[in-house]
Amino acid sequence: MSGERIMNEEKSRSLFEASKHLMPGGVNSPVRAYRNVGRIPRFIQKASGSHITDADGNTYIDYVCSWGPAILGHSHPKVVEAVVKAASCGLSFGAPTEAELKLARLVNRFMPNVESLRLVSSGTEAVMSAIRLARGYTGRDKIIKFRGCYHGHSDAMLVKAGSGALTGSAPDSAGVTSGASRDTLVAEYNSIESVKALFEANPHQVAAVIVEPIAANMGVVIPKDEFLDGLRQITSECGALLIFDEVITGFRLSFGGAAEYFGIGPDLVTLGKIIGGGMPMGAYGGRREIMEMVAPSGKVYQAGTLSGNPMATAAGIATLEEILVHREMYSLLDAKGAKIEKALKAKFGDGATVNRAGSLLSVFFAKGPVDSYDSVMRSDLEKFRAFFSHMLDRGIYLPPSQYEAWFVSLAHDDEDIRRTCQAINDF
Ligand SMILES: *Cc1c(COP(=O)(O)O)cnc(C)c1O
């Protein structure tokens, strides 16, 4: 094949073999192990802008972008500078700082719905806490989530629809008790009917519906026109809260996230990824009246030794400030995403479906429309594997799973996009 690069992967291979003895699967988060694609995971040494370099010295154009945080590109000078400066003043105090107030003000400016917020250290923690808050606020136990949406790995979110799915679910991981999964109900993404059925079968018991406003953890699935509106309506009618899990979509599609993008006001929002600018951070927030239930104001307990960590807070502030400066940022990102979408469509035609929202996209090797969990599951995984491998060998670092989104950053320049489109075309 023309332009094929022969890559050395010996160092990554030997690091992976050694890691397997000391870490489960050789990694600290499952998708990194490349199990779905049957290749050796790249051990990354450094990253700058749109490029990452592995332990063997190969450099790739990166569309993982740390799974979202690197929206400005890796090692953005202003973000790195802010972190270094913060580090030189102390790594952690366990006491409030002015920087946390600054970040809270920034988030509130981006997302007026977030009248009050709490900083935590991961998206998982943000969701786990928001769910506890929704239960505490409503005095109800049950939560509705959607099949194919990912909300981190807290027990209540690791469930699948089992038998008797209308009134309870089954654990989707060993170690999750049936008690923990019983109170989580599973609906179908883009099906308001499935949500209605759950509300009808569980009257006055549902504390909240949690949804990825654009699903991005089964690959990208766009909400149908009436779906999010329908969720807003039914939750309001039934006295349940609507939680938008914007860990991916927050600051990704517009300044105000999906809530602004679709013009829908959720009661609570969870944030992660971009808000930490590459450092470990998450947040949950929303209507002040609800947030006042959180300790020490209210009776819902939640705490964190490293919450509002100075370096993470500094990275978050620097990232959001940089986004604010780039008024045209989201249209630039959209244009980059559109070019890649066009190349994929030209290459695969009816043989694949491209779902895209701005700089978030997926190519499914399945006939369209791909608008539900079931249609996602019809994808040809063999074809994905072959495509992934081809792109990796051409120096294009894609998410190693059919069910993950590609992330385009501001640092992807015309030459990166051109090389990416060329590699797609050469498959
Ligand atoms: C990544 C993600 C999470 C979990 O965040 P972590 O920081 O990995 O714990 C939660 N929800 C969504 C939508 C995510 O994409």
Side-chain angles (χ1 to χ4, degrees):
M1 210 177 302
S2 68
E4 189 91 30
R5 299 198 302 182
I6 308 297
M7 284 203 196
N8 190 352
E9 57 181 28
E10 285 322 301
K11 192 84 198 286
S12 280
R13 185 187 298 275
S14 77
L15 290 170
F16 189 43
E17 287 309 318
S19 297
K20 281 188 204 165
H21 293 290
L22 288 161
M23 293 171 236
V27 291
N28 282 311
S29 197
V31 74
R32 300 178 192 173
Y34 273 33
R35 293 234 168 152
N36 293 323
V37 290
R39 296 288 304 257
I40 299 293
R42 270 47 191 159
F43 277 60
I44 304 305
Q45 206 160 53
K46 59 182 180 183
S48 175
S50 58
H51 290 82
I52 54 167
T53 301
D54 71 14
D56 291 287
N58 305 303
T59 294
Y60 305 81
I61 302 170
D62 178 21
Y63 290 100
V64 176
C65 288
S66 186
W67 304 99
I71 192 166
L72 304 173
H74 293 284
S75 316
H76 189 282
K78 293 218 168 108
V79 178
V80 173
E81 187 191 343
V83 172
V84 169
K85 198 168 156 214
S88 73
C89 295
L91 300 184
S92 177
F93 315 122
T97 60
E98 187 173 354
E100 290 159 82
L101 172 64
K102 192 169 176 187
L103 182 56
R105 282 197 175 123
L106 267 171
V107 173
N108 173 256
R109 186 168 160 196
F110 278 97
M111 303 178 165
N113 276 323
V114 181
E115 295 169 350
S116 170
L117 91 168
R118 170 63 57 85
L119 296 176
V120 294
S121 299
S122 70
T124 294
E125 201 186 347
V127 169
M128 179 184 76
S129 311
I131 283 171
R132 184 181 304 139
L133 173 57
R135 286 171 165 158
Y137 178 79
T138 59
R140 298 173 175 186
D141 290 346
K142 299 206 168 179
I143 302 290
I144 295 176
K145 82 175 281 287
F146 295 90
R147 203 150 63 110
C149 284
Y150 178 69
H151 302 292
H153 63 87
S154 65
D155 283 2
M157 293 292 102
L158 289 182
V159 303
K160 60 183 174 201
S163 57
L166 274 181
T167 50
S169 307
D172 200 20
S173 161
V176 173
T177 63
S178 54
S181 64
R182 190 187 52 216
D183 286 329
T184 305
L185 308 170
V186 181
E188 293 298 323
Y189 196 82
N190 268 335
S191 165
I192 205 73
E193 282 67 37
S194 71
V195 179
K196 276 190 187 141
L198 292 177
F199 271 104
E200 276 162 20
N202 301 272
H204 310 295
Q205 294 172 61
V206 177
V209 173
I210 183 164
V211 65
E212 286 183 78
I214 292 175
N217 283 290
M218 51 175 153
V220 174
V221 176
I222 310 289
K224 289 183 182 166
D225 279 348
E226 71 286 8
F227 181 59
L228 297 175
D229 260 326
L231 292 182
R232 179 64 283 180
Q233 206 177 334
I234 194 168
T235 46
S236 298
E237 281 167 15
C238 299
L241 301 184
L242 178 61
I243 306 173
F244 273 6
D245 182 350
E246 297 230 38
V247 169
I248 282 183
T249 52
F251 317 111
R252 166 65 51 187
L253 301 166
S254 72
F255 292 106
E260 177 184 82
Y261 193 75
F262 295 113
I264 292 170
D267 300 294
L268 291 174
V269 179
T270 54
L271 298 168
K273 299 190 170 118
I274 292 174
I275 196 179
M279 298 291 287
M281 176 173 284
Y284 64 103
R287 280 183 11 231
R288 183 169 295 105
E289 168 221 358
I290 303 172
M291 291 303 292
E292 284 297 313
M293 293 282 299
V294 177
S297 300
K299 290 183 174 165
V300 174
Y301 191 71
Q302 187 270 312
T305 303
L306 294 177
S307 295
N309 173 265
M311 285 168 296
T313 304
I317 292 169
T319 300
L320 297 191
E321 282 184 338
E322 197 57 23
I323 291 175
L324 267 180
V325 170
H326 279 278
R327 282 269 148 209
E328 78 297 10
M329 155 147 181
Y330 292 105
S331 55
L332 284 176
L333 283 170
D334 184 62
K336 294 173 201 290
K339 282 187 190 158
I340 297 171
E341 175 182 3
K342 194 170 158 211
L344 288 165
K345 283 183 166 161
K347 175 69 188 176
F348 296 113
D350 285 347
T353 304
V354 183
N355 285 352
R356 183 177 73 86
S359 57
L360 207 54
L361 73 143
S362 289
V363 55
F364 295 96
F365 292 103
K367 274 207 191 323
V370 176
D371 57 3
S372 65
Y373 181 80
D374 285 334
S375 50
V376 164
M377 288 301 138
R378 285 197 288 270
S379 303
D380 180 344
L381 299 183
E382 271 313 315
K383 187 141 186 205
F384 175 81
R385 255 174 236 133
F387 177 64
F388 172 85
S389 250
H390 160 84
M391 295 296 276
L392 187 69
D393 291 336
R394 293 288 299 260
I396 316 291
Y397 188 83
L398 299 179
S401 163
Q402 171 71 90
Y403 309 124
E404 302 283 357
W406 304 18
F407 294 91
V408 185
S409 81
L410 209 55
H412 288 84
D413 64 13
D414 288 348
E415 176 60 12
D416 293 327
I417 305 283
R418 191 197 62 73
R419 276 180 53 201
T420 305
C421 294
Q422 184 67 50
I424 290 167
N425 190 56
D426 290 345
F427 176 56

